mmCIF file of all heavy atoms in Angstrom:
data_model
loop_
_atom_site.group_PDB
_atom_site.id
_atom_site.type_symbol
_atom_site.label_atom_id
_atom_site.label_comp_id
_atom_site.label_asym_id
_atom_site.label_seq_id
_atom_site.Cartn_x
_atom_site.Cartn_y
_atom_site.Cartn_z
ATOM 1 N N MET A 1 77.111 9.760 -71.664
ATOM 2 C CA MET A 1 75.928 10.618 -71.694
ATOM 3 C C MET A 1 76.377 12.086 -71.646
ATOM 4 O O MET A 1 77.241 12.445 -70.842
ATOM 5 C CB MET A 1 75.002 10.288 -70.518
ATOM 6 C CG MET A 1 73.626 10.919 -70.603
ATOM 7 S SD MET A 1 72.552 10.445 -69.218
ATOM 8 C CE MET A 1 72.230 8.721 -69.609
ATOM 9 N N ILE A 2 75.787 12.920 -72.490
ATOM 10 C CA ILE A 2 76.187 14.324 -72.615
ATOM 11 C C ILE A 2 74.937 15.209 -72.560
ATOM 12 O O ILE A 2 73.916 14.895 -73.186
ATOM 13 C CB ILE A 2 76.953 14.563 -73.928
ATOM 14 C CG1 ILE A 2 78.317 13.852 -73.880
ATOM 15 C CG2 ILE A 2 77.152 16.055 -74.185
ATOM 16 C CD1 ILE A 2 79.064 13.899 -75.186
ATOM 17 N N LEU A 3 75.032 16.315 -71.837
ATOM 18 C CA LEU A 3 73.936 17.271 -71.743
ATOM 19 C C LEU A 3 74.447 18.651 -72.157
ATOM 20 O O LEU A 3 75.527 19.076 -71.755
ATOM 21 C CB LEU A 3 73.404 17.346 -70.304
ATOM 22 C CG LEU A 3 72.230 18.315 -70.073
ATOM 23 C CD1 LEU A 3 70.950 17.769 -70.703
ATOM 24 C CD2 LEU A 3 72.017 18.536 -68.571
ATOM 25 N N PHE A 14 79.120 13.131 -68.696
ATOM 26 C CA PHE A 14 78.949 12.350 -67.471
ATOM 27 C C PHE A 14 79.759 11.057 -67.465
ATOM 28 O O PHE A 14 79.542 10.193 -66.618
ATOM 29 C CB PHE A 14 77.463 12.064 -67.238
ATOM 30 C CG PHE A 14 76.649 13.316 -67.080
ATOM 31 C CD1 PHE A 14 75.991 13.872 -68.170
ATOM 32 C CD2 PHE A 14 76.587 13.965 -65.866
ATOM 33 C CE1 PHE A 14 75.267 15.033 -68.039
ATOM 34 C CE2 PHE A 14 75.865 15.135 -65.717
ATOM 35 C CZ PHE A 14 75.201 15.677 -66.806
ATOM 36 N N LEU A 50 69.971 16.072 -74.517
ATOM 37 C CA LEU A 50 70.667 14.961 -73.872
ATOM 38 C C LEU A 50 70.968 13.920 -74.940
ATOM 39 O O LEU A 50 70.086 13.547 -75.722
ATOM 40 C CB LEU A 50 69.792 14.362 -72.777
ATOM 41 C CG LEU A 50 70.398 13.225 -71.952
ATOM 42 C CD1 LEU A 50 71.559 13.735 -71.102
ATOM 43 C CD2 LEU A 50 69.330 12.585 -71.061
ATOM 44 N N MET A 62 64.539 9.939 -69.573
ATOM 45 C CA MET A 62 65.933 9.690 -69.180
ATOM 46 C C MET A 62 66.450 10.604 -68.076
ATOM 47 O O MET A 62 67.565 10.431 -67.616
ATOM 48 C CB MET A 62 66.845 9.818 -70.410
ATOM 49 C CG MET A 62 66.671 8.711 -71.435
ATOM 50 S SD MET A 62 67.018 7.067 -70.769
ATOM 51 C CE MET A 62 68.751 7.234 -70.344
ATOM 52 N N VAL A 63 65.660 11.571 -67.651
ATOM 53 C CA VAL A 63 66.111 12.507 -66.624
ATOM 54 C C VAL A 63 65.184 12.433 -65.414
ATOM 55 O O VAL A 63 63.960 12.459 -65.548
ATOM 56 C CB VAL A 63 66.162 13.956 -67.154
ATOM 57 C CG1 VAL A 63 66.483 14.933 -66.022
ATOM 58 C CG2 VAL A 63 67.192 14.078 -68.261
ATOM 59 N N LYS A 64 65.797 12.320 -64.244
ATOM 60 C CA LYS A 64 65.066 12.399 -62.983
ATOM 61 C C LYS A 64 65.476 13.693 -62.290
ATOM 62 O O LYS A 64 66.643 13.881 -61.955
ATOM 63 C CB LYS A 64 65.398 11.202 -62.087
ATOM 64 C CG LYS A 64 64.809 9.887 -62.551
ATOM 65 C CD LYS A 64 63.323 9.836 -62.289
ATOM 66 C CE LYS A 64 62.748 8.480 -62.622
ATOM 67 N NZ LYS A 64 61.282 8.442 -62.377
ATOM 68 N N LEU A 65 64.530 14.592 -62.096
ATOM 69 C CA LEU A 65 64.806 15.856 -61.414
ATOM 70 C C LEU A 65 64.440 15.722 -59.943
ATOM 71 O O LEU A 65 63.280 15.481 -59.598
ATOM 72 C CB LEU A 65 64.017 16.991 -62.062
ATOM 73 C CG LEU A 65 64.102 18.355 -61.363
ATOM 74 C CD1 LEU A 65 65.541 18.855 -61.324
ATOM 75 C CD2 LEU A 65 63.197 19.370 -62.053
ATOM 76 N N LYS A 163 66.698 1.803 -65.830
ATOM 77 C CA LYS A 163 67.889 2.002 -66.663
ATOM 78 C C LYS A 163 68.741 3.095 -66.032
ATOM 79 O O LYS A 163 68.301 3.795 -65.116
ATOM 80 C CB LYS A 163 67.482 2.403 -68.091
ATOM 81 C CG LYS A 163 66.792 3.752 -68.167
ATOM 82 C CD LYS A 163 66.239 4.046 -69.552
ATOM 83 C CE LYS A 163 64.957 3.289 -69.801
ATOM 84 N NZ LYS A 163 64.256 3.744 -71.024
ATOM 85 N N ASP A 164 69.964 3.248 -66.524
ATOM 86 C CA ASP A 164 70.807 4.359 -66.077
ATOM 87 C C ASP A 164 70.226 5.673 -66.581
ATOM 88 O O ASP A 164 70.066 5.860 -67.782
ATOM 89 C CB ASP A 164 72.236 4.188 -66.613
ATOM 90 C CG ASP A 164 73.120 3.418 -65.661
ATOM 91 O OD1 ASP A 164 73.057 3.697 -64.447
ATOM 92 O OD2 ASP A 164 73.855 2.538 -66.112
ATOM 93 N N LYS A 165 69.913 6.561 -65.664
ATOM 94 C CA LYS A 165 69.340 7.849 -66.028
ATOM 95 C C LYS A 165 70.218 8.974 -65.490
ATOM 96 O O LYS A 165 71.142 8.747 -64.706
ATOM 97 C CB LYS A 165 67.920 7.971 -65.475
ATOM 98 C CG LYS A 165 66.949 6.943 -66.043
ATOM 99 C CD LYS A 165 65.517 7.254 -65.670
ATOM 100 C CE LYS A 165 64.559 6.245 -66.317
ATOM 101 N NZ LYS A 165 63.141 6.602 -66.100
ATOM 102 N N LEU A 166 69.905 10.190 -65.929
ATOM 103 C CA LEU A 166 70.575 11.378 -65.421
ATOM 104 C C LEU A 166 69.752 11.947 -64.267
ATOM 105 O O LEU A 166 68.559 12.231 -64.427
ATOM 106 C CB LEU A 166 70.722 12.427 -66.523
ATOM 107 C CG LEU A 166 71.218 13.802 -66.080
ATOM 108 C CD1 LEU A 166 72.603 13.716 -65.444
ATOM 109 C CD2 LEU A 166 71.232 14.773 -67.259
ATOM 110 N N PHE A 167 70.390 12.109 -63.112
ATOM 111 C CA PHE A 167 69.737 12.686 -61.941
ATOM 112 C C PHE A 167 70.201 14.130 -61.788
ATOM 113 O O PHE A 167 71.384 14.381 -61.544
ATOM 114 C CB PHE A 167 70.071 11.876 -60.693
ATOM 115 C CG PHE A 167 69.551 10.464 -60.729
ATOM 116 C CD1 PHE A 167 70.322 9.453 -61.274
ATOM 117 C CD2 PHE A 167 68.292 10.158 -60.245
ATOM 118 C CE1 PHE A 167 69.849 8.149 -61.328
ATOM 119 C CE2 PHE A 167 67.806 8.862 -60.290
ATOM 120 C CZ PHE A 167 68.590 7.851 -60.842
ATOM 121 N N VAL A 168 69.275 15.054 -61.955
ATOM 122 C CA VAL A 168 69.569 16.476 -61.749
ATOM 123 C C VAL A 168 69.083 16.828 -60.348
ATOM 124 O O VAL A 168 67.890 16.731 -60.054
ATOM 125 C CB VAL A 168 68.874 17.358 -62.800
ATOM 126 C CG1 VAL A 168 69.183 18.833 -62.542
ATOM 127 C CG2 VAL A 168 69.305 16.962 -64.208
ATOM 128 N N HIS A 194 75.001 8.920 -63.098
ATOM 129 C CA HIS A 194 75.022 10.177 -63.842
ATOM 130 C C HIS A 194 74.295 11.239 -63.022
ATOM 131 O O HIS A 194 73.073 11.167 -62.852
ATOM 132 C CB HIS A 194 74.352 10.010 -65.209
ATOM 133 C CG HIS A 194 74.954 8.934 -66.048
ATOM 134 N ND1 HIS A 194 76.312 8.805 -66.228
ATOM 135 C CD2 HIS A 194 74.384 7.926 -66.755
ATOM 136 C CE1 HIS A 194 76.561 7.777 -67.011
ATOM 137 N NE2 HIS A 194 75.413 7.224 -67.342
ATOM 138 N N VAL A 195 75.038 12.209 -62.517
ATOM 139 C CA VAL A 195 74.463 13.221 -61.622
ATOM 140 C C VAL A 195 74.930 14.608 -62.051
ATOM 141 O O VAL A 195 76.108 14.815 -62.353
ATOM 142 C CB VAL A 195 74.875 12.956 -60.153
ATOM 143 C CG1 VAL A 195 74.518 14.139 -59.263
ATOM 144 C CG2 VAL A 195 74.209 11.688 -59.634
ATOM 145 N N LEU A 196 73.979 15.544 -62.063
ATOM 146 C CA LEU A 196 74.280 16.961 -62.269
ATOM 147 C C LEU A 196 73.753 17.721 -61.066
ATOM 148 O O LEU A 196 72.560 17.643 -60.746
ATOM 149 C CB LEU A 196 73.614 17.483 -63.543
ATOM 150 C CG LEU A 196 73.728 18.990 -63.795
ATOM 151 C CD1 LEU A 196 75.172 19.378 -64.118
ATOM 152 C CD2 LEU A 196 72.801 19.426 -64.935
#
Side-chain angles (χ1 to χ4, degrees):
M1 192 178 289
I2 292 173
L3 181 72
F14 299 95
L50 183 67
M62 291 300 297
V63 174
K64 288 286 186 181
L65 174 61
K163 65 188 77 169
D164 269 316
K165 297 190 177 186
L166 171 60
F167 296 89
V168 179
H194 303 313
V195 169
L196 174 69

